[in-house]
Amino acid sequence: MEMIHTIGRRKASVARLYMRKGKGRIFVNGRDYTDYFPQIHIQAGLLDPFKVVELDPKLYDLKIRVNGGGFKGQAEAIRLAIARALVQLNEDYRRVLKEHKLLTRDAREVERKKYGKPKARKSFQFSKR
């Protein structure tokens, strides 16, 4: 295994992941992932694919470039990219990751604002008389 390259998307975020054998360093946009995502529940969510397949994340170095969206969308895009990389690493992981819905691309996007309305669906107050 030299290097695995995968892409994950969520909302407006796109994450490009480069995975290789290493010492377990995870860098997001040149910073350690614990600095980039200070929330502990978000950090735990990133490593879910490793927990599901019972693989130690300290065996691989991850270099991730992510842009667009907010921190939650970026974290979920990274999670999808990691799951896809693990499938490329070993095809046997596909079934387990699929059962935990980690290989499913969440296609929900923000709906555009329509003219004549204050938001996408909200309407101004209606008066009958």
Side-chain angles (χ1 to χ4, degrees), residues 24-124:
R25 294 177 299 219
I26 302 174
F27 289 105
V28 179
N29 291 347
R31 292 162 48 192
D32 189 57
Y33 82 105
T34 55
D35 294 337
Y36 195 83
F37 297 112
Q39 300 89 346
I40 291 151
H41 65 284
I42 300 281
Q43 293 172 16
L46 284 185
L47 302 177
D48 277 349
F50 286 109
K51 290 178 195 150
V52 167
V53 297
E54 296 171 1
L55 189 67
D56 188 14
K58 292 189 175 15
L59 298 174
Y60 301 99
D61 284 345
L62 304 178
K63 184 179 159 200
I64 304 159
R65 300 291 301 164
V66 63
N67 60 356
F71 66 90
K72 180 82 168 161
Q74 287 184 350
E76 292 184 13
I78 292 169
R79 188 175 72 179
L80 176 61
I82 291 172
R84 287 178 173 173
L86 291 175
V87 169
Q88 280 188 21
L89 186 68
N90 186 350
E91 195 63 35
D92 297 337
Y93 294 151
R94 177 180 291 280
R95 187 180 59 78
V96 182
L97 290 167
K98 201 117 171 116
E99 285 173 3
H100 287 84
K101 296 184 171 76
L102 292 174
L103 288 175
T104 306
R105 201 288 201 198
D106 192 348
R108 294 178 293 172
E109 297 279 337
V110 176
E111 191 173 341
R112 78 171 192 85
K113 182 194 174 301
K114 278 62 162 205
Y115 60 88
K117 294 194 175 267
K119 292 167 70 176
R121 295 189 178 203
K122 185 177 181 178
S123 296
F124 293 109

